[in-house]
Amino acid sequence: MVQQSAPRELAGIAPKLVEVTDEVLFKDVWERSELSPRDRSLVTVSVLAALYRSEQLPYHLGVALDNGLSVEELSEALTHLAFYAGWPNAMTAITQLKKIADERSA
């Protein structure tokens, strides 16, 4: 799994949030053996897209690719999601996925 951590620049204003993000979310929840990092990434990307959390989505799309999901799999998940979470949410997520895929292939 890709090592994750909260953005260091937030520690000055929200040190506890950064601490619990690192210690609880990334070192406890993400490390649980019941789901693989790949599966956790698929769930995370889907929820972020469904809830239109477009600020966090690019980072987690990159993590998802690093955790073994392909662009095609992410595209398929986001296409499926369009019918349950809304077309604009899916289109925004696909646009971000394309940008990341293009950057990685350059």
Side-chain angles (χ1 to χ4, degrees):
M1 184 189 99
V2 174
Q3 183 63 30
Q4 300 181 73
S5 63
R8 298 295 96 190
E9 65 270 12
L10 298 179
I13 192 166
K16 188 63 174 180
L17 180 58
V18 169
E19 176 189 338
V20 296
T21 299
D22 290 349
E23 297 300 321
V24 177
L25 177 59
F26 293 134
K27 289 185 182 164
D28 181 14
V29 175
W30 270 86
E31 296 294 327
R32 294 174 52 84
S33 62
E34 290 79 8
L35 287 175
S36 69
R38 180 187 186 282
D39 292 343
R40 289 186 191 280
S41 281
L42 183 58
V43 170
T44 301
V45 165
S46 296
V47 170
L48 290 173
L51 295 174
Y52 203 74
R53 300 302 194 257
S54 56
E55 185 176 313
Q56 295 288 314
L57 189 56
Y59 171 78
H60 282 285
L61 285 167
V63 170
L65 292 169
D66 293 341
N67 281 336
L69 285 155
S70 68
V71 171
E72 293 77 17
E73 289 169 321
L74 289 166
S75 175
E76 186 63 27
L78 295 170
T79 299
H80 184 78
L81 182 133
F83 294 93
Y84 294 94
W87 210 267
N89 293 3
M91 291 301 288
T92 296
I94 287 291
T95 300
Q96 291 178 339
L97 176 59
K98 181 182 181 325
K99 180 179 178 189
I100 291 166
D102 289 349
E103 289 169 355
R104 287 183 176 219
S105 68

